[in-house]
Amino acid sequence: MRVTFYTLGCKVNQTETGALAQLFEENGYTVVPGGEAADVYVVNSCTVTNFGDQKSRKWLRRAKRENPGAVTVLTGCYPQAFPQEAAAIAEADVVTGSGNRRAILRDVQRILDGEAERVVDIRPHEKGERFEELPMDKFAEHTRAFVKVEDGCNRQCAYCVIPRARGPVRSRSEQSILQELHRLTAAGYKEIVLTAISLPSYGADTGTSLVELVEKAAAVPGVERLRLGSLDPDMLHEDDIRRLARVEKLCPQFHLSLQSGCDKTLRAMRRPYTTAQYAAIAARLREAFGPENVSFTTDVIVGFPSETEEDFAQSMAFVTAQHFLKVHVFPYSRRAGTPAYDFPEQVPEHEKEARSRRMTAAVEAVRAEEAARMQGRTATVLLETPLSATLFSGYTPQYLPVLVSAPGCQSGDIVKVTLGAWDGKRCRAALAP
């Protein structure tokens, strides 16, 4: 039997798809890439925007149209957040949510065995539920391993449907994580990325903390680099920063979630910090890790309801002043099921798109300046995608994308380079002596 997957959304979703693929393989299935004929088609959905829902529905309809005898599966955040809407999608033979992923195999088998014509198995999140353990040892398309350590979010940002889709904070056991790290390093992975829905919340429900996990993960033999996923700045405290700075294997790149550089907009978004507080946390990280060593990335939403041209200008001024190495810019997407959906003074689509283009141009100019400052420095690079027999793309610990010729090396190796000029997408580099 052959199964194929289509994944939308964040790194957590991608990691979970890898776990589902491993589950199917362990039960006799062959995982095939998209575009090849399969017996089972699984879409792991994202529901952050309406566009994600549309993509899931479109993919399912195409899969069912081109392969009418195959079993189609809709799983993930979309059906969890909007169960009635998802259950009504006739092209999905199996509909499950973001929990109880192991049941997908059983549900698919019921269809294949003729025990059921259709299965809708969406279980509501409950207070006190536990983290669902899934096998996550294989990352066929990656030279770094992504390890999911937490699920759920307890915050209630005005624009976000994720708490509804993912439920409350649930931390994975420290023992389980460390055991997985031992397996991953034994398989040759040198860089580990800790990922989660609310990474700084790790341990809040189990009596430990993210910092403790980082310290213990860095001590696992074979881990050469440790990288953190997205962090809420207000959840990083003084002691956390001091302790993190002492972990030599921790990559000094921090994805500090911002969303807006305007305090009025942050209040409307129900984000629990001000721009001044955000800047103070970034300053503490620069001091602890060294201003020439640390880098920052972030996300910014433009065109949030009631954002004026003046608000947007304030946001852009703050964002460019923070010298981010990379900024993901998103026009606000009106999402049913969130408070902001009904906010007055919705910004017209054409204006949101225009602001997105302006912000993107501004942050890309800053990105080029930050990359230019690094020219001439030595750095280590994890070689990732081979572009020829000797040419590789990869990343420094600061997450600067690099292009380097490394004869005799292979993907997954870490090499020392001298950084050269920025070409608009990547930094050209040469192997250092």
Side-chain angles (χ1 to χ4, degrees):
M1 300 290 281
R2 294 155 62 91
V3 59
T4 190
F5 294 87
Y6 176 56
T7 308
L8 295 163
C10 64
K11 292 293 186 184
V12 172
N13 262 21
Q14 294 173 33
T15 301
E16 289 172 341
T17 294
L20 289 174
Q22 189 170 332
L23 274 175
F24 273 83
E25 283 184 331
E26 290 172 354
N27 285 270
Y29 285 80
T30 300
V31 177
V32 298
E36 291 192 19
D39 303 288
V40 180
Y41 291 79
V42 182
V43 55
N44 191 8
S45 64
C46 173
T47 197
V48 169
T49 69
N50 291 319
F51 302 113
D53 297 351
Q54 292 171 13
K55 288 180 180 178
S56 294
R57 293 193 296 266
K58 183 178 179 180
W59 189 85
L60 282 167
R61 287 166 185 155
R62 180 178 177 181
K64 183 58 76 174
R65 181 177 66 251
E66 296 179 355
N67 308 272
V71 177
T72 49
V73 180
L74 172 61
T75 187
C77 291
Y78 176 24
Q80 190 71 47
F82 303 98
Q84 292 183 333
E85 181 179 320
I89 299 174
E91 290 83 1
D93 300 313
V94 176
V95 183
T96 72
S98 60
N100 196 29
R101 300 294 187 114
R102 288 183 177 273
I104 293 176
L105 271 168
R106 181 198 63 208
D107 294 335
V108 167
Q109 199 61 46
R110 288 179 63 194
I111 303 292
L112 291 171
D113 292 343
E115 295 178 9
E117 291 186 4
R118 193 163 188 264
V119 177
V120 177
D121 185 12
I122 307 170
R123 304 185 183 186
H125 287 299
E126 298 177 352
K127 186 177 180 179
E129 69 177 288
R130 303 186 67 178
F131 182 94
E132 183 183 17
E133 292 282 352
L134 292 170
M136 298 181 186
D137 302 334
K138 297 179 181 178
F139 303 87
E141 298 179 1
H142 299 285
T143 49
R144 61 170 63 89
F146 292 82
V147 177
K148 180 184 171 186
V149 302
E150 180 274 347
D151 207 340
C153 181
N154 293 340
R155 295 200 152 171
Q156 298 294 327
C157 299
Y159 55 82
C160 188
V161 76
I162 293 302
R164 176 172 170 174
R166 286 285 181 171
V169 166
R170 308 178 300 286
S171 300
R172 184 178 178 184
S173 79
E174 191 176 86
Q175 180 183 12
S176 171
I177 295 167
L178 296 177
Q179 287 174 346
E180 183 178 337
L181 293 186
H182 280 280
R183 294 194 300 271
L184 291 169
T185 55
Y189 290 100
K190 298 175 181 177
E191 181 173 316
I192 306 295
V193 184
L194 302 184
T195 186
I197 296 300
S198 177
L199 186 57
S201 297
Y202 177 80
D205 55 331
T206 57
T208 183
S209 69
L210 177 62
V211 175
E212 288 186 29
L213 176 63
V214 168
E215 291 169 339
K216 292 178 180 178
V220 173
V223 172
E224 296 188 25
R225 284 186 179 183
L226 197 61
R227 197 181 293 276
L228 300 179
S230 181
L231 301 165
D232 285 305
D234 60 298
M235 299 176 78
L236 280 179
H237 306 298
E238 286 278 4
D239 185 57
D240 298 334
I241 293 172
R242 284 195 297 269
R243 288 171 64 181
L244 289 173
R246 291 197 291 265
V247 180
E248 293 183 1
K249 293 178 181 178
L250 180 65
C251 292
Q253 175 251 328
F254 296 93
H255 189 90
L256 291 183
S257 180
L258 176 60
Q259 308 308 349
S260 177
C262 171
D263 286 334
K264 174 193 154 193
T265 304
L266 286 174
R267 287 194 299 273
M269 289 177 169
R270 302 178 187 174
R271 297 293 287 173
Y273 51 81
T274 64
T275 54
Q277 291 168 331
Y278 185 101
I281 292 296
R284 291 188 191 110
L285 286 164
R286 285 191 174 97
E287 180 181 5
F289 285 85
E292 298 299 315
N293 190 43
V294 74
S295 69
F296 297 96
T297 57
T298 198
D299 303 305
V300 172
I301 297 171
V302 299
F304 192 73
S306 80
E307 182 190 68
T308 64
E309 177 61 30
E310 182 181 358
D311 297 335
F312 171 72
Q314 287 181 16
S315 183
M316 188 154 66
F318 180 83
V319 171
T320 53
Q322 286 300 303
H323 301 287
F324 292 110
L325 184 59
K326 177 68 176 177
V327 180
H328 298 280
V329 181
F330 302 93
Y332 167 69
S333 179
R334 195 177 183 187
R335 192 67 185 94
T338 66
Y341 182 83
D342 296 315
F343 281 3
E345 300 179 71
Q346 297 283 334
V347 178
E349 291 297 326
H350 67 86
E351 182 60 29
K352 288 189 285 188
E353 293 295 337
R355 290 179 188 177
S356 179
R357 289 192 294 272
R358 290 163 60 193
M359 179 72 82
T360 298
V363 299
E364 284 300 313
V366 172
R367 177 170 167 82
E369 292 172 3
E370 292 301 299
R373 286 196 187 101
M374 298 180 188
Q375 188 170 346
R377 297 182 192 174
T378 57
T380 57
V381 173
L382 174 68
L383 301 180
E384 298 196 45
T385 306
L387 304 178
S388 71
T390 59
L391 193 64
F392 296 85
S393 62
Y395 286 89
T396 68
Q398 291 77 17
Y399 213 61
L400 178 73
V402 168
L403 189 67
V404 59
S405 177
C409 297
Q410 60 184 2
S411 294
D413 289 345
I414 295 177
V415 299
K416 189 175 181 180
V417 304
T418 301
L419 300 175
W422 178 252
D423 67 7
K425 292 184 178 180
R426 290 173 294 211
C427 180
R428 302 282 175 153
L431 289 179

